[in-house]
Amino acid sequence: MSGSILPAWYACATRGFSGPYLELIALGPPYRRGGIGRDIIGWMEKEAAPVSSNIWTSVSSFNGPARTFYLNLGFEEIAPLRNLIREGLSEILLRKTLTPEGGSNPK
């Protein structure tokens, strides 16, 4: 579609973690807060649950809205990854534990 802008973009990796790792969700401003990110996480949960008990992601420590988004969806902060992308900044490793049905395990 020439001249079109994609409303959402995401990328997942499946190696190196005990479950898939969501590398990125990027939404253009008009598409934020409309449920697209939540739907991507829900799809990822359903796809991962039969073969994994976790899904993973990370968020920049200074990105408060993204951090809140993931915590509200049941992710837990596992560890800061200091100086991972840039000196003086941290990425926060997040994990969501799944049930076989594709939802969160209660804490």
Side-chain angles (χ1 to χ4, degrees), residues 64-77 94 107:
R67 215 166 162 179
T68 298
F69 167 77
Y70 289 114
L71 294 174
N72 286 341
L73 289 176
F75 283 82
E76 62 180 315
E77 294 184 356
L94 303 168
K107 293 188 177 190

Side-chain angles (χ1 to χ4, degrees), residues 82-98:
R82 292 178 181 85
N83 304 317
L84 180 68
I85 296 175
R86 190 166 146 199
E87 189 71 29
L89 299 178
S90 295
E91 296 297 308
I92 308 298
L93 182 64
L94 303 168
R95 173 182 63 202
K96 184 168 186 178
T97 304
L98 305 175

Side-chain angles (χ1 to χ4, degrees), residues 40-51 55 98 100-103:
I40 290 170
I41 298 296
W43 170 84
M44 192 174 175
E45 291 173 7
K46 285 197 292 188
E47 292 296 312
V51 295
I55 56 175
L98 305 175
E101 297 79 37

Side-chain angles (χ1 to χ4, degrees), residues 2-64:
S2 179
S4 295
I5 297 173
L6 292 175
W9 189 86
Y10 70 95
C12 296
T14 56
R15 295 190 177 155
F17 286 87
S18 60
Y21 176 84
L22 177 67
E23 292 183 31
L24 174 71
I25 295 177
L27 299 172
Y31 302 99
R32 294 178 189 157
R33 305 192 64 79
I36 295 171
R38 184 178 55 245
D39 290 346
I40 290 170
I41 298 296
W43 170 84
M44 192 174 175
E45 291 173 7
K46 285 197 292 188
E47 292 296 312
V51 295
S52 177
S53 59
N54 299 298
I55 56 175
W56 300 85
T57 195
S58 63
V59 65
S60 297
S61 58
F62 59 83
N63 190 343

